[in-house]
Amino acid sequence: TKDIYGNMNTFLNKRNIYGIGDVKQVDLEKYQRVVYLDAAASFSFPNNNILNTLEQTYYKKSSFEFRDIFTVYEFETK
């Protein structure tokens, strides 16, 4: 358990979970399905182009807003 907390990014990345501030930080071509948790990314990382790129690359299957600043999007290949 201590290894998980000490190496959280490595642990999450092995499970294809990435914390990113810019869409260029992940290779989208590898994924048929993407779940994106937007926590006010446009405010925290202006011009990050994450949501725009996902909407151009994938079909938006669903979205859910909660707690004022959070939106979860589910995308699939077109």
Side-chain angles (χ1 to χ4, degrees):
T1 306
K2 185 177 180 182
D3 286 340
I4 292 172
Y5 295 112
N7 299 306
M8 185 62 77
N9 280 341
T10 302
F11 178 79
L12 293 172
N13 291 171
K14 285 181 180 179
R15 286 151 182 82
N16 294 315
I17 301 170
Y18 304 95
I20 61 172
D22 188 294
V23 74
K24 296 173 187 170
Q25 291 177 278
V26 65
D27 180 10
L28 293 175
E29 292 182 15
K30 297 184 339 183
Y31 305 102
Q32 295 179 352
R33 183 171 177 260
V34 173
V35 176
Y36 171 49
L37 171 61
D38 183 348
S42 294
F43 176 77
S44 303
F45 301 98
N47 303 313
N48 63 56
N49 209 25
I50 297 170
L51 185 57
N52 291 339
T53 300
L54 290 172
E55 290 177 330
Q56 290 174 4
T57 307
Y58 295 94
Y59 161 76
K60 183 168 57 173
K61 188 173 178 182
S62 65
S63 64
F64 175 74
E65 295 180 19
F66 63 100
R67 302 270 176 135
D68 297 326
I69 65 165
F70 298 103
T71 306
V72 177
Y73 298 93
E74 181 183 12
F75 293 95
E76 291 184 343
T77 53
K78 293 182 178 183

